[in-house]
Amino acid sequence: TILNDEVYIPAFRLYPRAKATDVISLPIGTNWIVSFKLKSLLEKEAISDIQFIPIDIYKNDTLLNYFLLRPVVTHMESLDYSHTEILIKDVQSTHEDSKKVPDYESFQNLENSIEYPKYLEFKKFKIRPDFALPFFSLQYTYGVPTMFVSEAFKKKLESEKITGIRFMELDEVL
């Protein structure tokens, strides 16, 4: 869902010694705070399915040009479900069931069947080798990154000297 222009996002103040990197870690869920430089690169590369919302970031009383990067679509079809393990958890207990599904359609059926107080979480997952988006987001990845980049796009970010991102191989976080 696209947020309209009337959404309120609080302003943030960086610590005086903090670096104004291209990605700033702030307490806004799984969204990223990104610089105009990174926003421009994502737009130039025609990365879709994301929304940029201006956000006020101050450093030493200077207003910096940053945006809340908000995924509008998650790409659950990117997963290789034969190598994915899903947990069905319950907010009211510590009980969890492990579930495997053979494909995306089966995952959608499972997802549609879950009702509160139950919820889904990926215990482990693998991205399909033929999935071609350079930058995308996933759901249900609690405790691990929710933004993913292709190896080619990672090299582009590094060549453009984008700062504030720590790249990790999936096997490092699962």
Side-chain angles (χ1 to χ4, degrees):
T1 304
I2 303 254
L3 295 177
N4 65 34
D5 293 336
E6 298 174 15
V7 66
Y8 173 75
I9 299 175
F12 292 93
R13 184 171 301 278
L14 295 178
Y15 287 108
R17 293 186 301 175
K19 292 181 182 178
T21 56
D22 294 305
V23 176
I24 297 177
S25 176
L26 290 176
I28 301 187
T30 58
N31 298 316
W32 285 6
I33 305 294
V34 299
S35 68
F36 180 79
K37 177 182 174 182
L38 180 52
K39 174 186 180 284
S40 299
L41 177 63
L42 291 164
E43 290 173 335
K44 180 180 162 192
E45 295 291 318
I47 306 292
S48 60
D49 303 329
I50 53 178
Q51 178 182 17
F52 296 101
I53 302 168
I55 186 169
D56 291 342
I57 303 285
Y58 290 90
K59 181 170 181 185
N60 300 327
D61 296 323
T62 301
L63 179 62
L64 305 175
N65 196 6
Y66 278 86
F67 300 84
L68 176 67
L69 181 155
R70 188 177 164 278
V72 177
V73 175
T74 56
H75 289 279
M76 307 311 289
E77 77 282 4
S78 67
L79 297 178
D80 175 351
Y81 285 95
S82 66
H83 291 94
T84 296
E85 186 177 346
I86 304 164
L87 297 177
I88 301 171
K89 293 186 164 189
D90 188 320
V91 297
Q92 298 173 337
S93 75
T94 58
H95 179 76
E96 58 187 38
D97 292 316
S98 182
K99 183 87 170 164
K100 289 190 74 81
V101 295
D103 53 34
Y104 178 55
E105 183 179 345
S106 299
F107 169 74
Q108 288 178 304
N109 291 335
L110 174 64
E111 184 180 39
N112 291 334
S113 73
I114 299 297
E115 294 182 4
Y116 184 84
K118 295 189 183 301
Y119 65 98
L120 298 178
E121 180 177 325
F122 287 114
K123 182 175 182 179
K124 64 179 182 176
F125 59 92
K126 184 176 180 183
I127 306 297
R128 286 187 1 241
D130 64 333
F131 190 71
L133 287 181
F135 182 90
F136 62 97
S137 179
L138 293 174
Q139 288 179 290
Y140 313 120
T141 59
Y142 308 106
V144 299
T146 56
M147 305 285 186
F148 299 85
V149 297
S150 67
E151 190 63 32
F153 193 61
K154 174 188 171 217
K155 289 178 180 166
K156 177 77 170 175
L157 293 169
E158 290 171 336
S159 73
E160 295 290 329
K161 302 199 181 326
I162 298 297
T163 59
I165 297 177
R166 178 177 167 224
F167 298 105
M168 297 182 294
E169 295 292 329
L170 277 180
D171 59 357
E172 289 180 58
V173 294
L174 296 177

